[in-house]
Amino acid sequence: MAASASGSTPPPANPATADYPVRPVPFTAVRINGGFWQTRQAVNLAVTVPYAIKQCEDTGRLRNFDLAAETLRRRAAGETSFQNQPVTIYPFDDSDVYKVMEGIAYALHVKPDLALAARLEGWIARVAAAQEPDGYLYTFRTMHPDTPAHEWSDPQRWLKDPDLSHELYNLGHLYEAGVAHYQATGKRTLLDVCLRSAELLWRDFGDCKLRIAPGHQVIEMGLAKLHRVTGDPRWLALAKIFLEARGPGGPPYSQQHLPVTQQTAAVGHAVRANYMYAGMADVAALSADAAYVAAIGKIWDNVAGKKLSLTGGVGPLQHGEAYGADYELPNACYNETCAAIALMMWNNRMFLFTGDARYMDVLERTCYNGFISGVSLSGDRFFYPNPLVYDGVAQNNHGHAGRAPWFGCACCPPNLMRTLAALTGYFYAVCENSLYVNFYAQSEGTAEVGGVQVKLTQATDYPWDGRVRLTVSPEKPTAFTLRLRIPGWAQGRPVPSDLYVYTDEARPAWAVRVGGQAVTPALESGYALLTREWHDGDTVELDLPMPVHTVRGHPRIEAVRGTIAFERGPIVYAIEGAVNRTDPADLHVTARTKARAQRHPELLGDVVTLILDEIAAPEMTRQVTAIPYAVWNNRGLAPMAVWLKTEEK
Ligand code: FUB
Ligand code: ZN
């Protein structure tokens, strides 16, 4: 298929129809217009997007594409031994450019910007110029074709992908960007690059039956998106080929130890793992493969029951950036930002399969804690690992103490940027005559239920206040079931397992009113069901009380024995040494400790803090202030802890 520089090629013909039973309301149909996520999204657009663009340009990530293009040009012109050297460290640096492009595409939807759109087209032209005539795209090899430019790649294409070449990983991110750009602009400039690349994959892996297991997953989700947007069954078949190529006998690090349908626990590199589970969900949804669903269901039970940090982070081991053994959840954990993002993707897909709120409960926990912790309030400083304890000095953030301006291995910042730009895609979903409300946030959106457009307006100060006023306005009176997620935390369960429990007795009841009248809806799979004929302007008021909870970990989590943590609503709290003039490691929660919530509009971008009275400190009892975990290290370096020792041993 020929590239279209003008972007005037007609749109793909047959978008795929078979898919998840529950369909997400696209992020483009929902707009955040106040509160917590508006602040974070505004900073993302105003600061993080241009910052990530500049980093890709200044660090040479984009230049690698020009160098590859130059090699192609000069060799085609007869300089047959011409080669360029990459100007960055890793062969997967191409993927950062693709993730930033995807984020820009989403950002253009949230806020149209002609200059940004033009800049993106300029980048696309540079990427397209680096693509070899047969569709191959991987700058480190193309610019330096005679011998490997990096020890991770082989003279032959694909052969080192099961190990570390990241050729297919880069393409997975390229495909996600190409689809996002096509959907944002209607232009095929990047999609055509993707399709030329996918045609090559089909020739090599489909027709020629080369079988290798991608060393770093994400190509599966990328191919599923290509399939969705084009309706071409080959892209789905390729995704399945790549999944079926895994195991037995390969390294657990990259989930190649067993065939995917025989895997029952989360192992190895957490980003690879979670991307694979999400990819399996996509392939299962698009091809009705029950064996995949059964496998990821068991793996999910293993993660939610034994491998999830309180902050919703996963992959605690620095060595291998990996999942640990059951209950191996150290506080000085790794919990890469990308692993949190991948976990959100996977949980969203589990929800779309089942319509069960527990997956959204995990997604929410990750989102408000171990995900958004990855970017500073200023939008230009980042965490790669997201530990639950910090000593105030360690250079544990890939060589930096505290939040870093960027990384040599820069997977996390652009991943965070693209996720935040499209966050509203998690808010609502539809299945037949049911409309699911998963996120509570000041916003307005439109969902289509049974062919009828339904406008949804939320007025709320969530996550600081659990009262939500939802106005439901169908374009004509329509009967359907509104499913309001009643978070596990509002039902006395921090997580959908026994991994963490609340130790306090506070269990205030949640309540719903429709048109001002109290109702007692049935609860099904974590949703309060409101079935009626809805009329323009109908109101639903949800009240999710937010007492301060104390949390204890499962006795088998060694690191948190004899400690407790504090939560309120979906927010996990941390004690930061700077304001409290002490190392949280020296503090003890006593039987007399009382916690109360206090709103601080002027602090840390507007937060609710917890005032903890009667905390035992060396030689005295005192008051300390806990802040939301996600905003720690926005005021300089200081020790931090989520889990505090209790007086009783
Ligand atoms: O290997 C590519 C990316 O770099 C991974 O997703 C991250 O964990 C980091 O290792
Ligand atoms: Zn990362």
Side-chain angles (χ1 to χ4, degrees):
M1 187 174 298
S4 158
S6 65
S8 59
T9 324
N14 304 306
T17 46
D19 215 321
Y20 290 99
V22 181
R23 303 286 177 114
V25 170
F27 87 94
T28 47
V30 184
R31 196 172 67 84
I32 300 169
N33 55 18
F36 182 92
W37 288 116
Q38 189 196 38
T39 309
R40 302 307 294 249
Q41 246 191 9
V43 172
N44 194 44
L45 294 189
V47 180
T48 315
V49 170
Y51 188 81
I53 290 172
K54 186 165 160 34
Q55 289 295 335
C56 281
E57 290 176 344
D58 291 356
T59 59
R61 280 169 169 75
L62 211 57
R63 171 126 181 85
N64 281 339
F65 289 90
D66 303 338
L67 294 172
E70 184 186 21
T71 301
L72 288 176
R73 245 186 354 262
R74 292 179 64 164
R75 285 198 168 212
E79 286 183 69
T80 49
S81 56
F82 181 84
Q83 303 209 107
N84 273 319
Q85 280 292 343
V87 288
T88 65
I89 309 170
Y90 297 108
F92 56 72
D93 292 335
D94 293 357
S95 68
D96 298 334
V97 173
Y98 302 145
K99 277 187 271 187
V100 172
M101 290 167 102
E102 184 184 348
I104 295 173
Y106 297 146
L108 289 173
H109 251 306
V110 179
K111 193 166 172 242
D113 179 332
L114 287 177
L116 188 58
R119 194 153 181 187
L120 178 55
E121 293 306 321
W123 277 29
I124 291 171
R126 291 165 77 179
V127 169
Q131 187 167 34
E132 297 190 20
D134 70 352
Y136 187 75
L137 185 49
Y138 181 75
T139 63
F140 269 50
R141 182 195 304 285
T142 303
M143 77 173 75
H144 194 279
D146 293 341
T147 51
H150 194 280
E151 57 178 343
W152 288 354
S153 52
D154 190 85
Q156 231 181 308
R157 292 172 177 180
W158 315 126
L159 284 193
K160 277 205 173 172
D161 195 84
D163 190 10
L164 282 169
S165 78
H166 289 81
E167 286 153 285
L168 295 167
Y169 169 77
N170 288 349
L171 295 183
H173 282 303
L174 171 74
Y175 298 172
E176 296 205 301
V179 171
H181 174 251
Y182 170 68
Q183 289 173 333
T185 64
K187 291 188 180 168
R188 293 186 53 136
T189 41
L190 192 57
L191 186 63
D192 283 341
V193 173
C194 300
L195 292 174
R196 280 198 298 279
S197 154
E199 292 284 350
L200 172 68
L201 294 190
W202 184 254
R203 286 196 296 278
D204 286 355
F205 296 94
D207 291 342
C208 294
K209 312 226 175 336
L210 175 62
R211 287 292 171 269
I212 57 122
H216 194 315
Q217 299 87 331
V218 83
I219 184 87
E220 304 80 3
M221 281 192 283
L223 284 163
K225 285 188 179 175
L226 270 193
H227 168 69
R228 273 199 190 94
V229 82
T230 61
D232 191 327
R234 291 177 300 165
W235 314 146
L236 178 59
L238 272 174
K240 195 154 184 162
I241 284 171
F242 287 132
L243 287 170
E244 294 296 311
R246 312 192 83 79
Y253 168 75
S254 47
Q255 300 76 38
Q256 299 184 37
H257 55 305
L258 284 170
V260 290
T261 51
Q262 290 172 30
Q263 299 191 21
T264 54
V267 297
H269 186 275
V271 185
R272 286 167 163 82
N274 293 345
Y275 281 163
M276 183 177 90
Y277 310 143
M280 286 169 70
D282 278 349
V283 172
L286 292 162
S287 63
D289 192 319
Y292 282 6
V293 185
I296 52 178
K298 284 185 198 145
I299 299 168
W300 188 88
D301 286 344
N302 174 252
V303 172
K306 300 182 173 92
K307 295 185 176 168
L308 186 70
S309 287
L310 188 65
T311 51
V314 290
L317 308 187
Q318 175 165 2
H319 182 69
E321 308 184 304
Y323 277 105
D326 290 352
Y327 301 107
E328 188 180 7
L329 291 166
N331 289 323
C333 55
Y334 196 70
N335 286 12
E336 180 179 343
T337 303
C338 286
I341 292 166
L343 184 71
M344 287 162 60
M345 292 174 168
W346 176 28
N347 272 283
N348 182 46
R349 285 160 169 81
M350 297 300 283
F351 157 73
L352 296 174
F353 253 125
T354 58
D356 194 316
R358 63 194 162 139
Y359 304 111
M360 279 294 160
D361 287 353
V362 173
L363 193 158
E364 178 182 66
R365 173 168 293 271
T366 306
C367 193
Y368 279 104
N369 302 290
F371 158 67
I372 199 64
S373 55
V375 60
S376 65
L377 294 168
S378 61
D380 59 357
R381 292 293 179 273
F382 307 92
F383 276 138
Y384 187 124
N386 295 275
L388 277 68
V389 69
Y390 182 61
D391 65 4
V393 292
Q395 297 184 334
N396 64 334
N397 187 22
H398 274 224
H400 296 264
R403 296 174 184 274
W406 200 250
F407 305 100
C409 168
C411 48
C412 297
N415 214 357
L416 201 147
M417 180 272 255
R418 69 169 178 151
T419 305
L420 195 45
L423 195 76
T424 50
Y426 293 136
F427 281 25
Y428 299 106
V430 174
C431 181
E432 295 171 353
N433 68 338
S434 282
L435 171 58
Y436 293 83
V437 185
N438 281 320
F439 259 66
Y440 298 113
Q442 177 80 28
S443 59
E444 51 187 35
T446 308
E448 190 184 304
V449 191
V452 174
Q453 297 294 316
V454 182
K455 192 169 168 214
L456 299 153
T457 309
Q458 289 193 40
T460 180
D461 193 20
Y462 198 93
W464 310 125
D465 187 318
R467 285 169 298 176
V468 182
R469 183 183 170 88
L470 175 67
T471 307
V472 182
S473 299
E475 57 187 353
K476 62 178 186 200
T478 309
F480 62 88
T481 301
L482 190 70
R483 292 174 180 254
L484 298 177
R485 186 171 66 89
I486 307 300
W489 58 258
Q491 300 178 62
R493 269 193 333 269
V495 289
S497 72
D498 64 357
L499 196 55
Y500 303 103
V501 292
Y502 292 143
T503 62
D504 58 285
E505 303 294 317
R507 297 290 181 272
W510 53 272
V512 181
R513 287 187 300 175
V514 179
Q517 301 294 313
V519 293
T520 49
L523 200 60
E524 187 183 287
S525 301
Y527 292 91
L529 308 188
L530 299 174
T531 304
R532 67 203 300 265
E533 186 174 84
W534 296 93
H535 294 254
D536 186 17
D538 280 350
T539 59
V540 176
E541 289 154 281
L542 173 65
D543 187 6
L544 301 168
M546 290 185 168
V548 179
H549 284 300
T550 47
V551 190
R552 179 169 54 71
H554 191 285
R556 288 184 62 189
I557 311 175
E558 196 182 326
V560 302
R561 267 183 226 143
T563 68
I564 63 168
F566 292 86
E567 290 192 0
R568 182 174 178 274
I571 304 290
V572 175
Y573 281 78
I575 312 293
E576 201 170 38
V579 259
N580 292 300
R581 301 178 313 283
T582 185
D583 185 337
D586 295 332
L587 303 175
H588 286 77
V589 178
T590 72
R592 299 166 310 283
T593 299
K594 290 265 180 306
R596 69 198 142 87
Q598 198 167 82
R599 186 65 180 265
H600 287 279
E602 77 298 345
L603 185 71
L604 292 166
D606 185 4
V607 292
V608 166
T609 63
L610 301 185
I611 309 299
L612 309 179
D613 288 315
E614 305 257 0
I615 291 277
E619 295 167 25
M620 60 170 171
T621 298
R622 46 174 300 214
Q623 184 186 79
V624 301
T625 303
I627 57 167
Y629 165 78
V631 294
W632 82 277
N633 190 239
N634 274 287
R635 295 172 294 187
L637 279 182
M640 178 280 295
V642 168
W643 294 92
L644 289 189
K645 284 180 254 180
T646 50
E647 239 177 11
E648 62 276 26
K649 291 284 178 299

